[in-house]
C-alpha cells in the first residue's frame, strides 16, 4: 500500500462502478423483504415519510463519513482505521471500529445467506407453478414446510454462500465489478417490469395510496426508531462494507472527452446511492402492495409477507408463474450483491495479511456457512431452544443489526466528526459548497451520534421489556 491510495485489491474502473457497487450493497433484502412489511405494519405513507427523513438526515451523512474514511485509509476497514488513527495521532484502539465491523459483517452474512436462500428455493417453486391456485392456508403451510426441512435449507444456504464467496474470491475487478455490472441493470429492469405488471392490476391505486397517503396519527416514538434502524440497515452502514468500497474509489478520474482529470466527488455519489436505494425500496412497495390489495390480502403481515402472502397473490393472477418467478429472481440478485459486500471487508483484511484471495474467501465463507447452520436449525430442530431474544437466529440478528451496526455507525460518526483532522476531511470530501460541508459536519458530529444512541437505547430497552 502506498500514499497514492492504490490499494492492493485494485480500484473501481469508474465512479459509476463505485455507485453501482455501493447501490448493490445497499439494495437487498432490506429493501424488498423488510421495507414493505414494516411499512405495512407501521401504517404506510407516514412511515415512508419518516423513513425518507432518516435517510436524508442520518443515512447520507454517515455514509459520506464511511466513504471518506475508506478512501482516506485505502485499505480494508481494519487496516484503514489503524492507519487513520495513526495519522490523527490518537489511540490505536480506534482500529476497533474495523474489528467491530468485521464481526457484524460476519454475523450478518451467516443469517443473510439463509434468508436469501429461501428466495432461491422460491424461484424454483415459482417456476414449477407451485403457487398456482394455492389457498392462504396452503401458502402458509408451504412456507412452514420449507422451514421445517433442515436439509433443503442447508442445501440452499450452501449454494448461496458459494455464489457469494465465489464472486469475492475473484477480486474487485474480475469478481465484484463484473457481478454488479450484470446484476444491477438486471435488477432495475426486473423491478420496472414488475411495477408495470402491478400497474395493470385493479389494486394498483389502492397500493399507491397506501404507500403515499400520509396519516400522521399513526406515527409513534417506536416508528421513529424503527425507521431510523431501517434507514441504517438498508444503506449498509456501520460495518465497513461501504468503507471497504470507498477504499477502491479513485480520487481523480480522467475525462474521456477532454483528457483532463477531475476529482471524484464523495458527496454527490452518496446522494445518488441513497436515492437509488430509496427508489428500489419504494419500487418494491409499488410492485407488492397492489398485488396484495388486488387479492384482498392484508398489508400488515409481518415477515411472512414476501414468502406467504405474495406467492398467494401471484397464484391467483394471470401471468403469475412468469411474474412470480421474475420477482424471486429479483430478490436473489438484490441479496447477492449485498452479501458480496458483507464478505469483502474481512477477505480484504486477510489478503492484506498475506493470504491469497481464494483461500481468504474460503475461510470467511466457510466460517460464516458453519455459523449459518445455527440459523438454519433455528427454524426446525432448534426451534424451541430459545434464550435471551429467542432462537439462535433471532439472537444473532438482534445483536448484529440492532446493537453492533448502530454502535459501528456511532463510532464512525464520532471519528469522522471529532477525531479526524478537519483539514483531512475537507480535502478528502472536496465539497464545492462550504455551507453543505458545514451542514454535513454538524449532522455527523451531533445529530447522527445522538440518533445512533437513541437506536441502541431503544433496542436494549425493548429487549429488556420483551
Ligand atoms: N443493505 C442490505 C439490505 O438492505 O439488505 C443489508 C446489508 C448489506 C447491511 C451489507 C449491511 C451491510 F454491510
Amino acid at each position: 500500500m502506498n500514499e497514492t491510495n492504490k490499494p492492493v485489491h485494485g480500484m473501481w474502473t469508474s465512479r459509476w462502478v463505485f455507485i453501482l457497487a455501493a447501490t448493490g450493497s445497499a439494495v437487498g433484502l432490506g429493501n424488498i423483504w423488510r421495507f414493505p412489511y414494516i411499512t405495512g405494519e407501521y401504517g404506510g405513507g407516514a412511515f415512508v415519510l419518516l423513513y425518507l427523513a432518516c435517510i436524508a438526515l442520518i443515512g447520507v451523512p454517515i455514509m459520506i463519513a464511511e466513504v471518506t474514511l475508506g478512501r482516506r485509509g485505502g485499505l480494508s476497514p481494519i487496516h484503514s482505521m489503524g492507519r487513520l488513527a495513526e495519522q490523527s495521532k490518537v489511540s490505536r484502539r480506534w482500529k476497533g471500529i474495523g474489528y467491530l465491523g468485521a464481526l457484524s459483517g460476519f454475523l450478518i452474512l451467516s443469517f443473510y445467506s439463509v434468508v436469501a436462500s429461501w428466495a432461491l428455493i422460491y424461484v424454483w417453486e415459482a417456476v414449477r407453478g407451485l403457487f398456482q391456485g394455492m389457498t392462504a392456508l396452503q401458502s402458509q403451510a408451504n412456507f412452514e414446510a420449507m422451514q421445517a426441512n433442515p436439509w433443503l435449507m442447508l442445501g440452499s444456504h450452501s449454494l448461496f454462500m458459494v455464489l457469494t464467496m465465489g464472486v469475492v474470491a475473484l477480486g474487485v475487478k474480475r469478481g465484484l465489478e463484473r457481478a454488479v455490472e450484470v446484476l444491477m441493470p438486471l435488477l432495475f429492469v426486473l423491478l420496472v417490469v414488475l411495477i408495470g405488471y402491478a400497474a395493470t392490476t385493479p389494486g394498483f391505486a389502492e397500493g399507491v395510496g397506501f404507500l403515499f397517503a400520509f396519516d400522521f396519527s399513526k406515527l409513534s416514538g417506536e416508528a421513529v426508531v424503527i425507521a431510523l434502524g431501517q434507514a441504517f440497515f438498508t444503506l449498509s452502514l456501520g460495518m465497513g462494507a461501504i468503507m471497504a468500497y470507498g477504499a477502491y474509489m479513485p480520487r481523480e478520474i480522467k475525462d474521456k472527452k477532454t483528457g483532463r482529470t477531475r476529482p471524484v466527488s464523495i458527496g454527490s455519489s452518496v446522494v445518488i446511492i441513497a436515492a437509488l436505494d430509496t427508489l428500489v425500496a419504494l419500487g418494491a412497495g409499488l410492485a407488492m402492495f397492489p398485488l396484495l390489495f388486488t387479492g384482498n390480502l392484508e398489508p400488515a403481515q409481518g415477515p411472512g409477507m414476501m414468502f406467504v402472502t405474495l406467492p398467494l397473490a401471484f397464484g391467483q393472477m394471470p401471468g403469475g408463474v412468469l411474474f412470480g418467478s421474475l420477482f424471486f429472481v429479483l430478490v436473489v440478485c438484490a441479496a447477492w450483491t449485498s452479501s458480496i459486500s458483507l464478505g469483502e471487508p474481512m477477505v480484504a483484511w486477510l489478503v492484506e495479511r498475506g493470504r491469497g484471495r481464494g483461500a481468504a474467501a474460503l475461510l470467511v465463507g466457510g466460517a460464516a456457512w458453519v455459523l449459518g447452520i445455527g440459523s438454519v436449525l433455528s427454524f426446525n430442530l432448534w426451534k424451541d431452544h430459545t434464550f435471551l431474544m429467542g432462537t439462535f437466529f433471532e439472537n444473532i440478528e438482534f445483536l448484529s443489526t440492532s446493537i453492533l451496526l448502530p454502535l459501528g455507525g456511532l463510532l464512525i460518526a464520532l471519528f469522522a466528526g471529532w477525531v479526524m483532522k478537519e483539514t483531512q476531511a475537507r480535502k478528502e470530501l472536496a465539497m464545492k459548497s462550504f455551507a453543505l460541508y458545514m451542514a454535513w459536519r454538524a449532522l455527523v458530529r451531533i445529530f447522527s451520534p445522538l440518533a445512533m444512541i437513541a437506536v441502541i437505547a431503544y433496542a436494549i430497552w425493548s429487549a429488556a421489556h420483551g
Side-chain angles (χ1 to χ4, degrees), residues 217-231:
S217 65
K218 287 190 181 143
L219 285 188
S220 59
E222 181 179 300
V224 177
V225 236
I226 298 287
L228 242 170
Q230 171 64 13

Side-chain angles (χ1 to χ4, degrees), residues 25-31 108 112 233-236 239 241 338 341-342:
S25 168
V27 170
L29 295 172
N31 304 57
I108 298 177
Y112 201 85
F233 181 77
T234 191
L235 291 178
S236 302
M239 65 133 285
S338 294
S341 76
L342 287 163

Side-chain angles (χ1 to χ4, degrees), residues 66-87:
E66 242 193 272
V67 179
T68 305
L69 297 185
R71 195 166 71 171
R72 184 93 209 146
L75 292 164
S76 68
I78 296 178
H79 285 140
S80 280
M81 285 314 303
R83 214 169 183 221
L84 292 173
E86 223 166 79
Q87 281 178 4

